[in-house]
Amino acid sequence: EVLEWEGQASSTELSVIIPVYNVRPYLKSCLESLSAWRAPYVEYLFVDDGSTDGSAEVIETYAKYDKRIRMIRKENGGCASARNCGLREAQGRYVGFVDGDDFVDSGMFRKLLGRAMMGGYELAYCGYQEYDEHTGNTVKAADDCLQEPYLTGTYRADLVQRLMIHTRVAIWRCIYRRAFLTENGITFHEELARFDDLPFKIESGFRAKSAVCVPEYLYYYRLGREGQDVACTDERLFVHFDIFRILDEAVLHEKNRRLIDYLQVVKLHTHGYALAKIDRKYRAEYLRKAGRQMDETAGTVRTLLLMAVYGGGKNIGWYLKSRIRRRGRDAVCRSSSPFIM
């Protein structure tokens, strides 16, 4: 590995984008954890997405004393639009993301940036911890590939793509080479009301050709805050079907069987996650739609083989149930047809 560095018009090496919407009680810990790293070549872009609780005023107060903090105001348009706004304003060689209600280890971005630049990697990531809002306890997230070959770094696209089926979404524990995102036209889908981080993760991971990890748990993801998308258990989870329609269109266009299979595994995990959470009155409809969407890109045998090869056996129950229900419904439809003799 060599330190890859080229001069650029801006002196900023890293841009950290923080979408903000009504998270005033948590901004102090976010701001102070970020600004504790005193590097002059980082910028913190706080994009206020039309907050009504005084979040913008908190950010402006800190910006008076730290010129690296920039406050960008915009009309409310959702998290995806706020992140895209930050991407348009970013000047850094690399970009990272932090949610306004989360916080980081003071050395997180220093370590990620140094590791990314020492080899010119397109992606660099670390582990994260789940922070309980009510108890203050932290739990390290399951080992998300903080191991070889990612410890020493890889330049094999197939190994980077495999990360997408073995890691959680968690785009905020990663930094991305900005030129890589720009060249591939990777942004956030503003038509999605929530979970816009999932297609961003898949699209960037499927197109990246290099990645490296820092084997430390440096990001703190807050759980238990009222109003979090991750806490929803109702029909809002149906957005997953829109997400995978977008991803299917992109991946099927490339006609890469490995990527199609990897996306099928991601669907298994995602739909299994949703079915474990969703309220009972929505479950049958979600199950029906999930089974149908799975069938659009792979048959039953291939999907079961993918479970065996890449894991995901815990999803076999709901997947087979969706198949049985669908066959039963088809049988009823055939028997009621006036053309059956």
Side-chain angles (χ1 to χ4, degrees):
E1 291 182 332
V2 295
L3 175 62
E4 184 175 307
W5 189 91
E6 298 175 356
Q8 57 178 10
S10 171
S11 60
T12 304
E13 296 294 337
L14 174 67
S15 300
V16 181
I17 298 166
I18 308 97
V20 173
Y21 180 72
N22 289 353
V23 289
R24 179 172 180 166
Y26 314 104
L27 279 173
K28 180 179 179 181
S29 60
C30 180
L31 281 153
E32 293 186 353
S33 69
L34 289 171
S35 59
W37 179 37
R38 302 305 303 172
Y41 46 83
V42 60
E43 64 175 357
Y44 300 110
L45 305 177
F46 284 81
V47 184
D48 181 67
D49 190 39
S51 294
T52 58
D53 68 342
S55 291
E57 287 72 19
V58 174
I59 299 165
E60 288 176 336
T61 298
Y62 278 83
K64 291 178 182 178
Y65 303 98
D66 191 336
K67 300 304 181 185
R68 303 171 304 166
I69 297 174
R70 291 176 55 196
M71 229 283 291
I72 303 169
R73 289 179 181 264
K74 63 180 289 296
E75 292 183 0
N76 181 256
C79 188
S81 69
R83 285 169 170 159
N84 282 339
C85 180
L87 281 173
R88 289 191 293 270
E89 294 289 330
Q91 298 295 314
R93 189 185 311 272
Y94 284 86
V95 296
F97 302 92
V98 171
D99 286 350
D101 54 340
D102 295 338
F103 56 100
V104 302
D105 182 281
S106 60
M108 172 178 162
F109 286 112
R110 172 179 59 82
K111 294 175 181 179
L112 286 177
L113 181 62
R115 197 66 190 89
M117 293 181 69
M118 189 62 73
Y121 295 100
E122 291 172 329
L123 311 179
Y125 66 96
C126 63
Y128 71 95
Q129 303 188 48
E130 295 178 343
Y131 174 83
D132 190 299
E133 165 69 10
H134 304 294
T135 66
N137 295 331
T138 58
V139 177
K140 292 179 179 177
D143 186 7
D144 277 353
C145 290
L146 302 179
Q147 59 198 30
E148 295 295 356
Y150 310 105
L151 277 174
T152 51
T154 180
Y155 297 94
R156 284 180 50 181
D158 62 317
L159 293 179
V160 181
Q161 292 161 0
R162 191 173 296 181
L163 276 172
M164 301 305 102
I165 62 175
H166 292 308
T167 58
R168 303 184 189 186
V169 179
I171 64 166
W172 20 253
R173 48 77 176 273
C174 184
I175 64 172
Y176 307 80
R177 189 162 187 161
R178 187 162 64 91
F180 153 71
L181 296 178
T182 301
E183 290 163 6
N184 287 278
I186 299 172
T187 59
F188 293 89
H189 290 272
E190 297 185 22
E191 67 270 31
L192 297 173
R194 56 190 55 84
F195 303 146
D196 56 279
D197 47 353
L198 175 54
F200 182 90
K201 175 204 173 186
I202 299 301
E203 290 176 347
S204 59
F206 278 6
R207 293 173 184 167
K209 296 180 176 60
S210 59
V212 67
C213 79
V214 173
E216 298 179 59
Y217 298 82
L218 303 174
Y219 189 97
Y220 292 86
Y221 176 53
R222 189 183 301 271
L223 288 175
R225 177 178 70 82
E226 185 178 350
Q228 284 181 299
D229 282 340
V230 72
C232 68
T233 60
D234 53 24
E235 69 273 15
R236 288 173 291 178
L237 290 171
F238 282 74
V239 73
H240 289 136
F241 301 111
D242 295 328
I243 289 171
F244 286 119
R245 275 191 286 272
I246 291 170
L247 290 173
D248 277 341
E249 183 178 348
V251 172
L252 291 174
H253 177 74
E254 296 185 19
K255 299 180 180 180
N256 183 320
R257 186 69 244 183
R258 181 176 67 246
L259 295 185
I260 294 171
D261 284 346
Y262 284 176
L263 184 57
Q264 188 78 346
V265 176
V266 174
K267 289 179 187 176
L268 276 168
H269 292 316
T270 304
H271 289 322
Y273 157 84
L275 284 164
K277 292 190 62 176
I278 200 164
D279 295 337
R280 187 172 182 177
K281 64 180 179 179
Y282 301 110
R283 197 173 191 279
E285 183 183 359
Y286 192 103
L287 180 66
R288 177 179 59 80
K289 289 189 173 183
R292 178 177 294 174
Q293 191 168 67
M294 296 294 297
D295 289 347
E296 290 173 354
T297 45
T300 304
V301 173
R302 190 174 191 90
T303 299
L304 292 174
L305 285 173
L306 289 172
M307 287 188 200
V309 173
Y310 297 115
K314 65 181 180 180
N315 294 300
I316 193 169
W318 74 259
Y319 176 68
L320 290 178
K321 188 175 182 179
S322 74
R323 300 293 302 153
I324 293 170
R325 286 195 173 186
R326 190 168 178 182
R327 286 178 181 176
R329 186 171 57 255
D330 290 346
V332 171
C333 291
R334 286 195 299 270
S335 65
S336 61
S337 170
F339 300 104
I340 299 295
M341 298 299 293

